[in-house]
């Protein structure tokens, strides 16, 4: 991918114009090549789910699926134990898994459209009442085909419900031996991995719905890098923030005992911390660029692996005996991951003035809101200018204005766009696609008239989003710096020829 036009440079001419693309969406699509079609359809479904916080619910659901899959792998639960496997009682681990499945089922119900859910429940009932095996078989096969995201979610929820009921009976046994634990793991893994639309993400596989870097400092730093190291470091940051997102589901202030599923989540954190450390050593370091950055990547990989091992050995190994062990482990992992985020930023921008303990400042929601508000204002101004020149039929001025707009898009997609809320992406993506597909230069009064109307409508979207951001509580009392915004706008506007 070509680099973004520098904000310090004037807009380039049509022959050298950079077409704006979402770098992070490209990176995420590259991590999902085998399932891109299903994930794109799922993304369209999610945008239509009439539930508040739908993206976070989907994240929690897939996190729980991934955690169950990880926890039912023996290495996640027995490597810190000193008892032989054949004499182990896995009763406690099955209680943990049961709680995680129960929560996943409840989250899935929140995501399921009530009308669609009722239809599928009724179809399930009809299956049990049919005497004709041919018709019943056809209905079962139709359901298991999972042709839509809602059907896929319903099938997975039903499978988890069946496994939960099975667990309820297994937990009544006096002991749960190794073969029972392994067989349950095989059943759960099969149902989770074979699901078409909700198969959980793999390590270092990212989702546009909830994997975004929302630190202005990190976004600005990455935007200055060349393609290969930029992709590598963006992946590292996304991986670190994904792990911190997991840990946000452990309530550090809760009074013990914490929910049993927390043990399952911590096993996931530990496992993926090791996976990230291995990737940073093998992949990030060779692609980092300078020797100093290579050394920083190796240090981060070493620290992640070493500290994750210590937390597992000294804290997680005692979760059965110490009620506060899960919270102490979560706190230790959080400190470890935040430290590595800051260390990597310092290595990329050594003269940036960062010091220890600045993670909260690095990811300041107020800084992100201020940056987004400024970028939206500039975007709207550039759209309005282009619209005005098109309506006045001043073709040379309109072409200069559209050049400035397209030049700004590169800057916006590397920064402000990443700070939008997921629900806003659709309108922004449609407008970007329109500009990308636009014949250049736009010729003919018909094309110019339609473009002017598109610019007017999108300007209204930008202004509405600008006002919504301005009303956020964290910006109360922070006036809009119009002079700074105008200076940013002027960086992209080429002077008119004399």
């Amino acid at each position: 991918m070509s680099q973004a036009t520098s904000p310090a440079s004037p807009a380039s001419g049509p022959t050298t114009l950079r077409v704006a693309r979402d770098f992070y969406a490209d990176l995420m699509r590259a991590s999902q090549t085998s399932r891109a079609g299903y994930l794109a359809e799922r993304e369209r479904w999610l945008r239509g789910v009439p539930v508040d916080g739908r993206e976070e619910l989907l994240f929690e659901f897939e996190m729980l699926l991934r955690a169950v899959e990880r926890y039912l792998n023996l290495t996640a639960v027995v490597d810190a134990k000193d008892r032989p496997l054949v004499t182990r009682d896995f009763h406690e681990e099955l209680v943990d898994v049961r709680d995680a499945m129960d929560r996943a089922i409840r989250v899935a119900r929140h995501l399921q459209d009530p009308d669609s859910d009722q239809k599928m429940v009724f179809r399930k009932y009809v299956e049990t009442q049919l005497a004709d095996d041919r018709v019943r078989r056809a209905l079962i096969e139709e359901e298991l085909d999972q042709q839509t995201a809602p059907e896929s979610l319903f099938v997975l929820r039903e499978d988890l419900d069946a496994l939960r009921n099975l667990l309820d009976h297994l937990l009544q046994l006096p002991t749960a031996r190794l073969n029972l634990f392994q067989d349950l793991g095989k059943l759960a893994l099969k149902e989770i991995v074979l699901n078409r639309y909700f198969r959980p993400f793999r390590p270092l596989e990212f989702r546009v719905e909830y994997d975004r870097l929302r630190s202005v400092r990190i976004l600005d730093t990455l935007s200055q890098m060349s393609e290969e190291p930029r992709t590598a470091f963006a992946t590292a940051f996304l991986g670190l923030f994904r792990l911190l997102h997991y840990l946000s589901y452990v309530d550090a202030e809760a009074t013990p005992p914490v929910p049993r599923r927390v043990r399952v989540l911590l096993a996931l954190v530990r496992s993926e911390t090791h996976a990230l450390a291995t990737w940073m050593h093998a992949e990030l370091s060779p692609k980092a660029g300078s020797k100093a950055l290579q050394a920083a990547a190796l240090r981060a990989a070493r620290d992640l692996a070493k500290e994750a091992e210590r937390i597992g050995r000294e804290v997680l190994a005692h979760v059965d005996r110490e009620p506060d062990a899960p919270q102490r482990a979560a706190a230790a992992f959080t400190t470890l991951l935040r430290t590595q985020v800051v260390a990597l930023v310092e290595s990329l921008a050594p003269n940036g003035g960062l010091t220890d303990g600045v993670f909260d400042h690095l990811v300041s929601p107020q800084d992100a809101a201020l940056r987004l508000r400024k970028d939206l204002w500039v975007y709207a101004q550039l759209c309005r200018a282009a619209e005005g020149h098109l309506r006045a039929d001043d073709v040379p001025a309109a072409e200069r204005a559209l050049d400035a707009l397209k030049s700004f898009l590169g800057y916006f997609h590397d920064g402000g766009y990443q700070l939008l809320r997921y629900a806003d992406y659709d309108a922004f993506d449609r407008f970007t696609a329109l500009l990308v597909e636009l014949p250049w230069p736009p010729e003919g009064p018909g094309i110019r008239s339609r473009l002017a109307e598109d610019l007017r409508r999108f300007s209204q979207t930008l202004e509405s989003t600008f006002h919504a951001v301005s009303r956020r509580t964290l910006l109360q009392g922070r006036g809009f710096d119009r002079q700074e915004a105008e200076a940013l706008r002027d960086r992209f506007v080429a002077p008119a020829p004399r």
Side-chain angles (χ1 to χ4, degrees):
M1 172 181 166
S2 59
Q3 292 305 296
T5 303
S6 168
S9 304
S12 55
T15 58
T16 60
L17 192 62
R18 173 192 183 273
V19 175
R21 290 169 56 189
D22 181 0
F23 168 79
Y24 297 96
D26 289 347
L27 185 157
M28 291 172 199
R29 279 190 290 269
S31 73
Q32 307 162 357
T33 51
S34 63
R35 304 180 58 227
Y38 289 123
L39 293 173
E41 187 174 339
R42 192 188 73 166
E43 187 182 342
R44 288 191 292 272
W45 159 79
L46 182 64
R47 286 179 172 173
V49 173
V51 176
D52 291 338
R54 56 186 184 262
E55 304 86 18
E56 192 61 29
L57 285 171
L58 180 59
F59 176 84
E60 183 182 3
F61 181 64
E62 293 200 316
M63 173 189 69
L64 289 166
L65 295 180
R66 175 71 174 129
V68 167
E69 174 198 330
R70 177 70 264 173
Y71 199 67
L72 288 169
N73 184 318
L74 280 174
T75 60
V77 297
V78 304
D79 58 350
K81 309 287 186 180
D82 55 6
R83 286 165 286 174
L85 288 180
V86 293
T87 63
R88 278 283 313 280
D89 181 2
F90 288 88
H91 185 277
E92 294 301 310
E93 284 78 5
L94 293 182
V95 173
D96 299 340
V97 171
R98 198 264 181 209
D99 187 46
M101 284 187 177
D102 182 70
R103 175 60 187 170
I105 292 166
R106 284 183 282 141
V107 173
R109 285 201 178 100
H110 283 299
L111 285 168
Q112 197 82 50
D113 175 70
D115 291 339
S116 173
D117 188 55
Q118 289 175 8
K119 290 176 183 177
M120 284 182 276
V121 169
F122 178 72
R123 186 172 69 181
K124 196 78 175 177
Y125 168 77
V126 170
E127 289 173 13
T128 66
Q129 303 301 308
L130 288 171
D132 189 332
D133 285 343
R134 293 174 302 166
V135 178
R136 185 172 61 84
R137 176 64 179 268
L139 285 174
I140 292 172
E141 289 181 351
E142 181 182 350
E143 175 186 303
L144 295 179
D145 278 345
Q146 304 176 40
Q147 295 184 4
T148 67
E151 288 179 354
S152 190
L153 182 60
F154 180 80
V155 168
L156 185 52
R157 195 186 85 194
E158 289 283 297
D159 292 338
L160 291 175
D161 198 22
L163 286 170
R164 182 183 59 179
N165 291 336
L166 180 62
L167 271 170
D168 286 339
H169 287 84
L170 293 175
L171 288 171
Q172 295 178 22
L173 297 173
T175 57
R177 296 301 183 193
L178 174 63
N179 58 349
L180 189 152
F181 182 82
Q182 290 180 311
D183 288 344
L184 180 74
K186 292 174 185 176
L187 290 173
L189 180 64
K190 179 181 176 182
E191 299 305 331
I192 291 171
V193 172
L194 291 182
N195 190 268
R196 284 190 174 179
Y197 290 89
F198 298 93
R199 184 188 309 170
F201 38 70
R202 296 166 295 182
L204 301 180
E205 178 182 295
F206 303 107
R207 299 282 196 263
V208 69
E209 300 94 324
Y210 38 67
D211 284 311
R212 290 281 170 175
L213 298 178
R214 302 193 183 277
S215 162
V216 173
R217 177 65 179 277
I218 293 175
L219 291 169
D220 284 345
T221 300
L222 290 173
S223 70
Q224 305 303 315
M225 301 177 69
S226 56
E227 183 172 357
E228 186 175 59
R230 180 189 189 191
T231 299
F233 275 100
T235 300
F237 282 120
L238 286 167
L240 290 165
F241 279 103
R242 162 75 67 76
L243 290 165
L244 287 167
H245 199 169
Y246 292 160
L247 290 164
S248 69
Y249 283 85
V250 182
D251 186 355
E253 305 300 325
T255 302
V258 296
R260 296 298 293 259
R261 62 183 173 272
V262 165
R263 300 186 186 195
V264 184
L265 296 183
L266 289 172
L268 175 64
V269 171
R270 185 183 179 192
S271 171
E272 295 204 355
T273 300
H274 278 295
L276 180 60
T278 301
W279 177 87
M280 291 173 73
H281 186 279
E283 300 288 338
L284 176 60
S285 177
K287 299 175 182 177
S290 69
K291 290 184 178 180
L293 291 180
Q294 290 176 5
L298 290 173
R299 270 196 310 275
R302 178 201 63 203
D303 292 346
L304 283 171
K306 183 178 178 181
E307 185 65 8
E309 182 62 31
R310 184 196 68 79
I311 296 169
R313 183 179 63 254
E314 298 181 5
V315 186
L316 288 178
H318 306 295
V319 291
D320 292 336
R321 301 187 299 273
E322 300 175 8
D324 66 338
Q327 291 159 305
R328 289 192 289 115
F333 273 118
T334 299
T335 299
L336 168 64
L337 296 165
R338 289 184 171 192
T339 299
Q340 298 314 311
V341 169
V342 173
L344 286 180
V345 173
E346 289 179 325
S347 70
L348 293 173
N351 298 319
L354 285 176
T355 57
D356 291 341
V358 298
F359 179 84
D360 290 339
H361 176 70
L362 187 65
V363 296
S364 166
Q366 186 178 76
D367 288 349
L370 288 168
R371 167 67 176 271
L372 177 58
R373 181 171 66 171
K374 179 175 65 176
D375 287 359
L376 290 168
W377 186 88
V378 172
Y379 203 165
Q381 289 287 303
L382 293 173
C383 285
R384 289 293 189 190
E387 177 201 355
H389 292 308
L390 286 167
R391 294 197 185 281
D393 208 25
D394 186 344
V395 176
E399 288 187 7
R400 289 194 301 273
L402 289 170
D403 282 347
L405 180 58
K406 283 195 171 186
S407 180
F408 174 78
L409 276 180
Y411 169 83
F412 181 73
H413 270 260
D414 287 338
Y417 177 86
Q418 312 304 324
L419 307 174
L420 289 167
R421 293 175 175 170
Y422 176 75
D424 297 324
Y425 287 152
D426 193 34
F428 283 76
D429 291 344
R430 287 200 306 270
F431 182 74
T432 300
L434 181 149
L435 285 187
V436 169
E437 296 167 3
L438 181 71
W440 195 259
E443 296 180 353
I447 291 178
R448 291 196 289 270
S449 177
R450 288 196 297 273
L451 178 57
E453 181 61 17
D454 289 329
L455 285 163
R456 182 189 70 79
R457 291 178 179 175
F458 188 61
S459 296
Q460 293 176 338
T461 298
L462 288 165
E463 290 159 1
S464 174
T465 309
F466 169 86
H467 290 301
V469 173
S470 299
R471 288 193 295 271
R472 292 182 187 176
T473 303
L474 51 83
L475 289 188
Q476 296 304 306
R478 296 298 300 267
F480 179 64
D481 191 335
R482 187 183 180 97
Q483 184 176 0
E484 181 183 5
E486 289 176 344
L488 175 62
R489 177 200 60 192
D490 293 344
R491 294 178 185 178
F492 298 94
V493 178
R498 295 182 179 178

